[in-house]
Amino acid sequence: MGRAGARRPAAPAEGPAVDNESTRRFVVQIHDARRMHFDFRLEVDGVLKSWAVPRGPSDNPSDKRLAVPTDDHPLAYREFEGVIPHDEQGSGTVIVWDQGTYRPTSHDLAGSPVPFADSLEDGHATFWLDGAKLHGEFALTRFRIDDEDGTRGPEAWLLIKANDPQAVHDRPGTPDPYHARSARTGRTLHQVAVAEREGAG
């Protein structure tokens, strides 16, 4: 694929997709940018709500992963894999490490389901992932890192795996990003970067 083919897709021309149980998608992209990180994205109300997870999602419940909110992305971006040019924001190589569907599992105190967008707004959302690699229930919980003088700091979240039958306990829950392979193409970051250079040559 040439460099032009690797540019991030624009938002779809048609209106946002219906956000229901059967169409909700998620994607986890590894982004070899200025700092290596994972981008965790959930389809919510026609966009991809996104968090940068420096150490990556883990399916080990003992791992509490910092997740920093980033800009919403268009739904088409969940399929992006390639190299973002150096003169563009977020430059670097991207692979789709995991992808699949999810379903919200948040409930109120009375046991009634809570709309997913509302649970995110409230700062605690639980959801079940059915991906190629990640499976089971996860939670996103918001917190703030305040300065020592009491000044309110930036918003951040924790991404945590539930202790369910899909959890792992006897091994690290996150792969080495340099050796991880794409759920879409089976390629590593290095292979994607090499193919991009050869296609642009």
mmCIF file of all heavy atoms in Angstrom, residues 141-177:
data_model
loop_
_atom_site.group_PDB
_atom_site.id
_atom_site.type_symbol
_atom_site.label_atom_id
_atom_site.label_comp_id
_atom_site.label_asym_id
_atom_site.label_seq_id
_atom_site.Cartn_x
_atom_site.Cartn_y
_atom_site.Cartn_z
ATOM 1 N N THR A 141 -13.308 3.201 34.486
ATOM 2 C CA THR A 141 -13.660 4.029 35.639
ATOM 3 C C THR A 141 -12.854 5.322 35.601
ATOM 4 O O THR A 141 -11.629 5.288 35.505
ATOM 5 C CB THR A 141 -13.384 3.280 36.955
ATOM 6 O OG1 THR A 141 -14.141 2.068 36.970
ATOM 7 C CG2 THR A 141 -13.772 4.138 38.147
ATOM 8 N N ARG A 142 -13.552 6.441 35.684
ATOM 9 C CA ARG A 142 -12.907 7.754 35.589
ATOM 10 C C ARG A 142 -12.370 8.204 36.941
ATOM 11 O O ARG A 142 -12.949 7.941 37.988
ATOM 12 C CB ARG A 142 -13.923 8.779 35.070
ATOM 13 C CG ARG A 142 -13.345 10.174 34.830
ATOM 14 C CD ARG A 142 -14.373 11.064 34.153
ATOM 15 N NE ARG A 142 -15.580 11.155 34.951
ATOM 16 C CZ ARG A 142 -16.820 11.241 34.428
ATOM 17 N NH1 ARG A 142 -17.000 11.230 33.133
ATOM 18 N NH2 ARG A 142 -17.864 11.329 35.236
ATOM 19 N N PHE A 143 -11.228 8.899 36.881
ATOM 20 C CA PHE A 143 -10.679 9.553 38.066
ATOM 21 C C PHE A 143 -9.888 10.767 37.608
ATOM 22 O O PHE A 143 -9.725 11.009 36.415
ATOM 23 C CB PHE A 143 -9.795 8.590 38.876
ATOM 24 C CG PHE A 143 -8.498 8.233 38.197
ATOM 25 C CD1 PHE A 143 -7.312 8.848 38.551
ATOM 26 C CD2 PHE A 143 -8.462 7.272 37.188
ATOM 27 C CE1 PHE A 143 -6.113 8.521 37.930
ATOM 28 C CE2 PHE A 143 -7.268 6.932 36.565
ATOM 29 C CZ PHE A 143 -6.095 7.562 36.933
ATOM 30 N N ARG A 144 -9.428 11.557 38.534
ATOM 31 C CA ARG A 144 -8.624 12.729 38.207
ATOM 32 C C ARG A 144 -7.332 12.708 39.003
ATOM 33 O O ARG A 144 -7.308 12.267 40.141
ATOM 34 C CB ARG A 144 -9.383 14.036 38.484
ATOM 35 C CG ARG A 144 -10.510 14.307 37.511
ATOM 36 C CD ARG A 144 -11.150 15.661 37.734
ATOM 37 N NE ARG A 144 -12.239 15.898 36.806
ATOM 38 C CZ ARG A 144 -12.095 16.403 35.582
ATOM 39 N NH1 ARG A 144 -10.886 16.756 35.170
ATOM 40 N NH2 ARG A 144 -13.124 16.588 34.796
ATOM 41 N N ILE A 145 -6.265 13.163 38.368
ATOM 42 C CA ILE A 145 -4.962 13.258 39.025
ATOM 43 C C ILE A 145 -4.774 14.711 39.447
ATOM 44 O O ILE A 145 -4.420 15.570 38.646
ATOM 45 C CB ILE A 145 -3.835 12.813 38.081
ATOM 46 C CG1 ILE A 145 -4.113 11.409 37.540
ATOM 47 C CG2 ILE A 145 -2.491 12.855 38.791
ATOM 48 C CD1 ILE A 145 -3.141 10.961 36.476
ATOM 49 N N ASP A 146 -5.073 15.014 40.718
ATOM 50 C CA ASP A 146 -4.997 16.390 41.203
ATOM 51 C C ASP A 146 -3.577 16.746 41.634
ATOM 52 O O ASP A 146 -2.801 15.887 42.074
ATOM 53 C CB ASP A 146 -5.943 16.584 42.383
ATOM 54 C CG ASP A 146 -7.406 16.449 41.983
ATOM 55 O OD1 ASP A 146 -7.703 16.616 40.787
ATOM 56 O OD2 ASP A 146 -8.232 16.176 42.870
ATOM 57 N N ASP A 147 -3.243 18.025 41.497
ATOM 58 C CA ASP A 147 -1.947 18.505 41.935
ATOM 59 C C ASP A 147 -1.898 18.541 43.466
ATOM 60 O O ASP A 147 -2.927 18.508 44.148
ATOM 61 C CB ASP A 147 -1.682 19.908 41.385
ATOM 62 C CG ASP A 147 -1.534 19.917 39.869
ATOM 63 O OD1 ASP A 147 -1.194 18.852 39.311
ATOM 64 O OD2 ASP A 147 -1.763 20.976 39.258
ATOM 65 N N GLU A 148 -0.668 18.643 43.997
ATOM 66 C CA GLU A 148 -0.509 18.646 45.450
ATOM 67 C C GLU A 148 -1.177 19.843 46.104
ATOM 68 O O GLU A 148 -1.587 19.773 47.267
ATOM 69 C CB GLU A 148 0.987 18.634 45.798
ATOM 70 C CG GLU A 148 1.690 17.345 45.423
ATOM 71 C CD GLU A 148 3.147 17.344 45.843
ATOM 72 O OE1 GLU A 148 3.586 18.360 46.428
ATOM 73 O OE2 GLU A 148 3.835 16.345 45.592
ATOM 74 N N ASP A 149 -1.326 20.938 45.367
ATOM 75 C CA ASP A 149 -1.966 22.121 45.947
ATOM 76 C C ASP A 149 -3.488 22.062 45.857
ATOM 77 O O ASP A 149 -4.168 23.027 46.210
ATOM 78 C CB ASP A 149 -1.443 23.391 45.265
ATOM 79 C CG ASP A 149 -1.773 23.435 43.775
ATOM 80 O OD1 ASP A 149 -2.413 22.491 43.273
ATOM 81 O OD2 ASP A 149 -1.378 24.423 43.118
ATOM 82 N N GLY A 150 -4.014 20.946 45.381
ATOM 83 C CA GLY A 150 -5.459 20.791 45.307
ATOM 84 C C GLY A 150 -6.057 21.176 43.967
ATOM 85 O O GLY A 150 -7.269 21.022 43.766
ATOM 86 N N THR A 151 -5.244 21.690 43.051
ATOM 87 C CA THR A 151 -5.746 22.042 41.726
ATOM 88 C C THR A 151 -6.186 20.783 40.991
ATOM 89 O O THR A 151 -5.480 19.780 40.979
ATOM 90 C CB THR A 151 -4.658 22.750 40.893
ATOM 91 O OG1 THR A 151 -4.212 23.896 41.619
ATOM 92 C CG2 THR A 151 -5.196 23.161 39.537
ATOM 93 N N ARG A 152 -7.367 20.846 40.387
ATOM 94 C CA ARG A 152 -7.888 19.676 39.699
ATOM 95 C C ARG A 152 -7.044 19.371 38.465
ATOM 96 O O ARG A 152 -6.792 20.219 37.633
ATOM 97 C CB ARG A 152 -9.338 19.875 39.287
ATOM 98 C CG ARG A 152 -10.286 20.065 40.457
ATOM 99 C CD ARG A 152 -11.692 19.656 40.114
ATOM 100 N NE ARG A 152 -11.814 18.204 40.001
ATOM 101 C CZ ARG A 152 -12.949 17.595 39.658
ATOM 102 N NH1 ARG A 152 -14.018 18.312 39.361
ATOM 103 N NH2 ARG A 152 -13.005 16.278 39.582
ATOM 104 N N GLY A 153 -6.619 18.158 38.366
ATOM 105 C CA GLY A 153 -5.792 17.735 37.247
ATOM 106 C C GLY A 153 -6.626 17.213 36.102
ATOM 107 O O GLY A 153 -7.864 17.249 36.126
ATOM 108 N N PRO A 154 -5.956 16.686 35.076
ATOM 109 C CA PRO A 154 -6.668 16.189 33.899
ATOM 110 C C PRO A 154 -7.439 14.912 34.204
ATOM 111 O O PRO A 154 -7.096 14.144 35.114
ATOM 112 C CB PRO A 154 -5.531 15.925 32.906
ATOM 113 C CG PRO A 154 -4.327 15.681 33.753
ATOM 114 C CD PRO A 154 -4.496 16.575 34.944
ATOM 115 N N GLU A 155 -8.478 14.694 33.421
ATOM 116 C CA GLU A 155 -9.280 13.487 33.564
ATOM 117 C C GLU A 155 -8.520 12.280 33.030
ATOM 118 O O GLU A 155 -7.836 12.361 32.021
ATOM 119 C CB GLU A 155 -10.585 13.663 32.788
ATOM 120 C CG GLU A 155 -11.459 12.436 32.733
ATOM 121 C CD GLU A 155 -12.659 12.642 31.839
ATOM 122 O OE1 GLU A 155 -13.413 13.613 32.066
ATOM 123 O OE2 GLU A 155 -12.842 11.840 30.905
ATOM 124 N N ALA A 156 -8.633 11.166 33.719
ATOM 125 C CA ALA A 156 -8.062 9.904 33.249
ATOM 126 C C ALA A 156 -9.010 8.782 33.652
ATOM 127 O O ALA A 156 -9.956 8.980 34.423
ATOM 128 C CB ALA A 156 -6.675 9.682 33.830
ATOM 129 N N TRP A 157 -8.777 7.613 33.117
ATOM 130 C CA TRP A 157 -9.613 6.461 33.396
ATOM 131 C C TRP A 157 -8.718 5.271 33.714
ATOM 132 O O TRP A 157 -7.538 5.256 33.379
ATOM 133 C CB TRP A 157 -10.490 6.110 32.189
ATOM 134 C CG TRP A 157 -11.478 7.164 31.790
ATOM 135 C CD1 TRP A 157 -11.210 8.400 31.260
ATOM 136 C CD2 TRP A 157 -12.903 7.070 31.878
ATOM 137 N NE1 TRP A 157 -12.375 9.079 31.012
ATOM 138 C CE2 TRP A 157 -13.434 8.290 31.378
ATOM 139 C CE3 TRP A 157 -13.776 6.072 32.321
ATOM 140 C CZ2 TRP A 157 -14.805 8.524 31.315
ATOM 141 C CZ3 TRP A 157 -15.151 6.312 32.262
ATOM 142 C CH2 TRP A 157 -15.655 7.526 31.772
ATOM 143 N N LEU A 158 -9.306 4.268 34.365
ATOM 144 C CA LEU A 158 -8.676 2.970 34.523
ATOM 145 C C LEU A 158 -9.472 1.951 33.715
ATOM 146 O O LEU A 158 -10.710 1.938 33.755
ATOM 147 C CB LEU A 158 -8.645 2.545 35.993
ATOM 148 C CG LEU A 158 -7.681 3.302 36.911
ATOM 149 C CD1 LEU A 158 -7.838 2.803 38.338
ATOM 150 C CD2 LEU A 158 -6.241 3.157 36.446
ATOM 151 N N LEU A 159 -8.755 1.116 32.970
ATOM 152 C CA LEU A 159 -9.353 0.018 32.228
ATOM 153 C C LEU A 159 -8.959 -1.280 32.928
ATOM 154 O O LEU A 159 -7.767 -1.593 33.031
ATOM 155 C CB LEU A 159 -8.857 0.020 30.778
ATOM 156 C CG LEU A 159 -9.322 -1.122 29.880
ATOM 157 C CD1 LEU A 159 -10.842 -1.098 29.705
ATOM 158 C CD2 LEU A 159 -8.624 -1.052 28.527
ATOM 159 N N ILE A 160 -9.950 -2.020 33.404
ATOM 160 C CA ILE A 160 -9.689 -3.191 34.247
ATOM 161 C C ILE A 160 -10.519 -4.370 33.766
ATOM 162 O O ILE A 160 -11.711 -4.231 33.471
ATOM 163 C CB ILE A 160 -10.015 -2.888 35.724
ATOM 164 C CG1 ILE A 160 -9.245 -1.654 36.209
ATOM 165 C CG2 ILE A 160 -9.697 -4.095 36.607
ATOM 166 C CD1 ILE A 160 -9.660 -1.184 37.589
ATOM 167 N N LYS A 161 -9.902 -5.538 33.727
ATOM 168 C CA LYS A 161 -10.595 -6.779 33.379
ATOM 169 C C LYS A 161 -11.316 -7.318 34.603
ATOM 170 O O LYS A 161 -10.759 -7.335 35.712
ATOM 171 C CB LYS A 161 -9.573 -7.822 32.893
ATOM 172 C CG LYS A 161 -10.170 -9.193 32.584
ATOM 173 C CD LYS A 161 -10.921 -9.156 31.269
ATOM 174 C CE LYS A 161 -11.546 -10.529 30.968
ATOM 175 N NZ LYS A 161 -12.742 -10.786 31.784
ATOM 176 N N ALA A 162 -12.550 -7.777 34.398
ATOM 177 C CA ALA A 162 -13.284 -8.424 35.488
ATOM 178 C C ALA A 162 -12.709 -9.816 35.759
ATOM 179 O O ALA A 162 -12.152 -10.460 34.870
ATOM 180 C CB ALA A 162 -14.763 -8.530 35.131
ATOM 181 N N ASN A 163 -12.883 -10.266 36.991
ATOM 182 C CA ASN A 163 -12.408 -11.600 37.369
ATOM 183 C C ASN A 163 -13.474 -12.629 36.991
ATOM 184 O O ASN A 163 -14.178 -13.172 37.824
ATOM 185 C CB ASN A 163 -12.112 -11.640 38.866
ATOM 186 C CG ASN A 163 -11.394 -12.916 39.269
ATOM 187 O OD1 ASN A 163 -10.912 -13.660 38.423
ATOM 188 N ND2 ASN A 163 -11.345 -13.166 40.563
ATOM 189 N N ASP A 164 -13.569 -12.890 35.674
ATOM 190 C CA ASP A 164 -14.560 -13.829 35.158
ATOM 191 C C ASP A 164 -13.839 -15.028 34.533
ATOM 192 O O ASP A 164 -12.605 -15.089 34.547
ATOM 193 C CB ASP A 164 -15.489 -13.136 34.161
ATOM 194 C CG ASP A 164 -14.755 -12.507 32.988
ATOM 195 O OD1 ASP A 164 -13.641 -12.965 32.652
ATOM 196 O OD2 ASP A 164 -15.279 -11.559 32.381
ATOM 197 N N PRO A 165 -14.557 -16.001 34.000
ATOM 198 C CA PRO A 165 -13.885 -17.191 33.444
ATOM 199 C C PRO A 165 -12.938 -16.890 32.280
ATOM 200 O O PRO A 165 -12.073 -17.718 31.966
ATOM 201 C CB PRO A 165 -15.063 -18.060 32.981
ATOM 202 C CG PRO A 165 -16.195 -17.673 33.873
ATOM 203 C CD PRO A 165 -16.020 -16.201 34.091
ATOM 204 N N GLN A 166 -13.069 -15.728 31.644
ATOM 205 C CA GLN A 166 -12.178 -15.370 30.536
ATOM 206 C C GLN A 166 -10.878 -14.717 31.011
ATOM 207 O O GLN A 166 -9.986 -14.457 30.204
ATOM 208 C CB GLN A 166 -12.901 -14.432 29.558
ATOM 209 C CG GLN A 166 -13.939 -15.119 28.678
ATOM 210 C CD GLN A 166 -15.185 -15.495 29.453
ATOM 211 O OE1 GLN A 166 -15.543 -14.850 30.435
ATOM 212 N NE2 GLN A 166 -15.840 -16.570 29.047
ATOM 213 N N ALA A 167 -10.777 -14.411 32.293
ATOM 214 C CA ALA A 167 -9.588 -13.744 32.826
ATOM 215 C C ALA A 167 -8.411 -14.709 32.884
ATOM 216 O O ALA A 167 -8.582 -15.928 32.976
ATOM 217 C CB ALA A 167 -9.880 -13.187 34.215
ATOM 218 N N VAL A 168 -7.209 -14.147 32.820
ATOM 219 C CA VAL A 168 -5.991 -14.937 33.002
ATOM 220 C C VAL A 168 -5.319 -14.484 34.292
ATOM 221 O O VAL A 168 -5.455 -13.330 34.714
ATOM 222 C CB VAL A 168 -5.014 -14.791 31.812
ATOM 223 C CG1 VAL A 168 -5.687 -15.182 30.510
ATOM 224 C CG2 VAL A 168 -4.474 -13.365 31.714
ATOM 225 N N HIS A 169 -4.586 -15.390 34.941
ATOM 226 C CA HIS A 169 -3.938 -15.066 36.205
ATOM 227 C C HIS A 169 -2.480 -15.519 36.241
ATOM 228 O O HIS A 169 -1.726 -15.065 37.089
ATOM 229 C CB HIS A 169 -4.700 -15.729 37.361
ATOM 230 C CG HIS A 169 -6.121 -15.297 37.483
ATOM 231 N ND1 HIS A 169 -6.514 -14.134 38.114
ATOM 232 C CD2 HIS A 169 -7.262 -15.874 37.025
ATOM 233 C CE1 HIS A 169 -7.832 -14.006 38.065
ATOM 234 N NE2 HIS A 169 -8.310 -15.053 37.406
ATOM 235 N N ASP A 170 -2.106 -16.408 35.339
ATOM 236 C CA ASP A 170 -0.795 -17.035 35.423
ATOM 237 C C ASP A 170 0.198 -16.520 34.384
ATOM 238 O O ASP A 170 1.252 -17.112 34.176
ATOM 239 C CB ASP A 170 -0.934 -18.551 35.272
ATOM 240 C CG ASP A 170 -1.630 -18.956 33.983
ATOM 241 O OD1 ASP A 170 -2.173 -18.057 33.297
ATOM 242 O OD2 ASP A 170 -1.628 -20.157 33.655
ATOM 243 N N ARG A 171 -0.132 -15.412 33.733
ATOM 244 C CA ARG A 171 0.769 -14.861 32.717
ATOM 245 C C ARG A 171 0.446 -13.389 32.511
ATOM 246 O O ARG A 171 -0.630 -12.929 32.905
ATOM 247 C CB ARG A 171 0.628 -15.616 31.395
ATOM 248 C CG ARG A 171 -0.780 -15.593 30.809
ATOM 249 C CD ARG A 171 -0.846 -16.318 29.481
ATOM 250 N NE ARG A 171 -2.196 -16.476 28.981
ATOM 251 C CZ ARG A 171 -2.868 -15.527 28.340
ATOM 252 N NH1 ARG A 171 -2.318 -14.346 28.148
ATOM 253 N NH2 ARG A 171 -4.090 -15.755 27.904
ATOM 254 N N PRO A 172 1.345 -12.635 31.883
ATOM 255 C CA PRO A 172 1.049 -11.236 31.582
ATOM 256 C C PRO A 172 -0.176 -11.129 30.678
ATOM 257 O O PRO A 172 -0.385 -11.965 29.786
ATOM 258 C CB PRO A 172 2.312 -10.754 30.853
ATOM 259 C CG PRO A 172 3.387 -11.681 31.297
ATOM 260 C CD PRO A 172 2.717 -13.017 31.497
ATOM 261 N N GLY A 173 -0.985 -10.114 30.906
ATOM 262 C CA GLY A 173 -2.229 -9.989 30.159
ATOM 263 C C GLY A 173 -2.143 -9.131 28.921
ATOM 264 O O GLY A 173 -3.143 -8.933 28.220
ATOM 265 N N THR A 174 -0.963 -8.593 28.618
ATOM 266 C CA THR A 174 -0.797 -7.712 27.469
ATOM 267 C C THR A 174 0.405 -8.174 26.655
ATOM 268 O O THR A 174 1.440 -8.517 27.213
ATOM 269 C CB THR A 174 -0.578 -6.254 27.919
ATOM 270 O OG1 THR A 174 -1.680 -5.855 28.740
ATOM 271 C CG2 THR A 174 -0.517 -5.313 26.724
ATOM 272 N N PRO A 175 0.303 -8.167 25.321
ATOM 273 C CA PRO A 175 1.424 -8.637 24.502
ATOM 274 C C PRO A 175 2.527 -7.600 24.370
ATOM 275 O O PRO A 175 2.325 -6.414 24.633
ATOM 276 C CB PRO A 175 0.764 -8.877 23.138
ATOM 277 C CG PRO A 175 -0.298 -7.817 23.082
ATOM 278 C CD PRO A 175 -0.832 -7.733 24.496
ATOM 279 N N ASP A 176 3.694 -8.048 23.937
ATOM 280 C CA ASP A 176 4.763 -7.146 23.533
ATOM 281 C C ASP A 176 4.324 -6.485 22.230
ATOM 282 O O ASP A 176 4.133 -7.167 21.226
ATOM 283 C CB ASP A 176 6.042 -7.958 23.319
ATOM 284 C CG ASP A 176 7.194 -7.127 22.780
ATOM 285 O OD1 ASP A 176 6.985 -5.932 22.458
ATOM 286 O OD2 ASP A 176 8.297 -7.679 22.651
ATOM 287 N N PRO A 177 4.142 -5.168 22.216
ATOM 288 C CA PRO A 177 3.606 -4.526 21.004
ATOM 289 C C PRO A 177 4.491 -4.707 19.779
ATOM 290 O O PRO A 177 3.990 -4.716 18.648
ATOM 291 C CB PRO A 177 3.481 -3.052 21.397
ATOM 292 C CG PRO A 177 4.390 -2.885 22.569
ATOM 293 C CD PRO A 177 4.382 -4.192 23.286
#
